[in-house]
């Protein structure tokens, strides 16, 4: 069963602002904007603990190879997460744009540089809202 598409209301506002001046956004950014626009915004305090939000650190599995990686989702080039062994991705990146507003356990597919990429959000090591950091 597919879960309702939700997004942190602050994330939605900030993502829209980040790409406001983009007259013709790249296809992956367009998909991000469409997903964010179609999602129901929720207040930070009401964000479910298994929803990927900005500044979350998530574990992702490639369902074709079984390889897993950990990523920190950011708005742009900011300081890395020293406390976590996570690769930083931003919403400007192909992978970063696909992660926002996904659920732990959700699988998704997109066209990567070398063909189709099939991933599943396997877990979340950090979510700001779950940790009480409601304004990150």
């Amino acid at each position: 069963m597919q879960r309702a598409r939700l997004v942190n209301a602050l994330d939605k506002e900030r993502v829209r602002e980040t790409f406001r001046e983009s007259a013709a956004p790249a296809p992956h950014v367009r998909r991000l904007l469409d997903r964010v626009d179609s999602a129901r915004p929720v207040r930070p305090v009401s964000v479910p603990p298994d929803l990927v939000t900005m500044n979350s650190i998530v574990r992702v599995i490639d369902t074709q190879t079984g390889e897993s990686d950990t990523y920190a989702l950011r708005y742009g080039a900011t300081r890395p997460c020293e406390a976590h062994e996570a690769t930083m991705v931003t919403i400007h990146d192909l992978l970063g744009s696909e992660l926002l507003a996904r659920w732990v356990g959700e699988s998704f597919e997109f066209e990567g540089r070398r063909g189709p990429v099939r991933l599943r959000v396997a877990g979340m090591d950090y979510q700001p809202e779950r940790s009480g950091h409601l304004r990150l």
Side-chain angles (χ1 to χ4, degrees):
M1 181 169 113
Q2 188 172 4
R3 295 177 73 176
R5 182 68 60 208
L6 301 177
V7 66
N8 176 324
L10 291 177
D11 290 350
K12 181 173 186 169
E13 180 181 313
R14 291 171 180 165
V15 167
R16 294 298 307 159
E17 182 62 27
T18 297
F19 295 108
R20 187 174 53 107
E21 301 296 323
S22 299
H28 68 280
V29 171
R30 181 76 262 153
R31 282 192 308 275
L32 168 65
L33 294 172
D34 290 345
R35 189 169 58 258
V36 166
D37 285 344
S38 68
R40 182 170 57 90
V42 294
R43 295 179 344 185
V45 71
S46 301
V47 169
D50 56 345
L51 180 68
V52 178
T53 61
M54 292 305 302
N55 297 304
S56 290
I57 298 175
V58 297
R59 285 174 276 121
V60 176
I61 293 178
D62 183 316
T63 60
Q64 295 170 297
T65 66
E67 293 179 23
S68 83
D69 288 298
T70 302
Y71 298 99
L73 182 59
R74 302 290 190 251
Y75 286 102
T78 59
R79 61 184 174 83
C81 300
E82 296 85 14
H84 299 276
E85 291 189 20
T87 301
M88 188 181 78
V89 293
T90 75
I91 56 173
H92 299 272
D93 301 329
L94 186 56
L95 175 59
S97 69
E98 292 291 340
L99 286 172
L100 182 62
R102 301 285 183 185
W103 295 98
V104 171
E106 182 177 352
S107 295
F108 58 98
E109 182 177 332
F110 61 93
E111 193 63 32
R113 291 184 178 93
R114 292 183 227 149
V117 177
R118 293 177 186 88
L119 302 174
R120 181 171 47 85
V121 180
M124 193 158 9
D125 295 341
Y126 171 75
Q127 183 205 59
E129 296 81 0
R130 184 173 65 197
S131 299
H133 306 136
L134 303 178
R135 289 264 179 220
L136 287 182

